[in-house]
Amino acid sequence: PDRLAALLARHGAPADSVGIEITESVAMHDPQETAGVVTRLRLKGFSVALDDFGTGHSSLTALRQLPFSGVKIDKSFVGEIETSHDSLAIVRSVINLARDLDLECVAEGVGSAAVAQKLTDLGISGLQGHYFSPPLPFAEFIAWLDRWHDGGRH
């Protein structure tokens, strides 16, 4: 956390401009160490999300014990919300849980306009996936962002 904060300070970037994601499996490997690191990151102003939420056995424990600012719903649930009642129920429940805990909630793996709309209707905080853009190298991301701001979708 100290090195990351110093790097951002050197470049004049605020800590809240960086989002850090920690997968549930990593977070729960050594919860005590993770708690210390996540706490220091949050105190420095970084947002820290629990990534791949719902894929492990200790998701709720991680939310209770660690000071995360958000959760990211795993794409294995998001991709099936149109075809699986169970996946839809899980996603809806995680969104409501995140809201109740005052956490940002982002859906990974959004692949279509219909899924994006359904998640928006459910009150999700953020959307991520190939529907918007595949992963891009930095220079291509900047060009994509310029097109987005100019009114282009892709």
Side-chain angles (χ1 to χ4, degrees), residues 10 16 67 108 122 125 143 153:
R10 187 168 60 235
D16 64 2
E108 298 179 321
L122 291 171
S125 321
R153 278 246 47 243

Side-chain angles (χ1 to χ4, degrees), residues 24-104:
E24 180 184 341
S25 60
V26 169
M28 297 314 294
H29 176 73
D30 186 345
Q32 192 169 24
E33 181 181 359
T34 302
V37 171
V38 172
T39 298
R40 290 191 343 256
L41 287 165
R42 297 282 290 132
L43 288 171
K44 292 181 180 302
F46 294 99
S47 65
V48 183
L50 181 59
D51 194 18
D52 297 338
F53 184 77
T55 59
H57 298 291
S58 52
S59 297
L60 296 176
T61 300
L63 287 182
R64 186 182 64 196
Q65 293 179 347
L66 302 171
F68 288 104
S69 55
V71 296
K72 294 186 75 179
I73 303 173
D74 189 71
K75 63 185 174 185
S76 63
F77 299 110
V78 172
E80 296 181 352
I81 64 170
E82 292 185 293
T83 59
S84 166
H85 173 73
D86 292 346
S87 289
L88 177 59
I90 289 168
V91 169
R92 180 185 299 114
S93 296
V94 172
I95 292 169
N96 290 333
L97 175 65
R99 185 180 307 114
D100 289 346
L101 294 173
D102 198 28
L103 298 172
E104 180 180 5

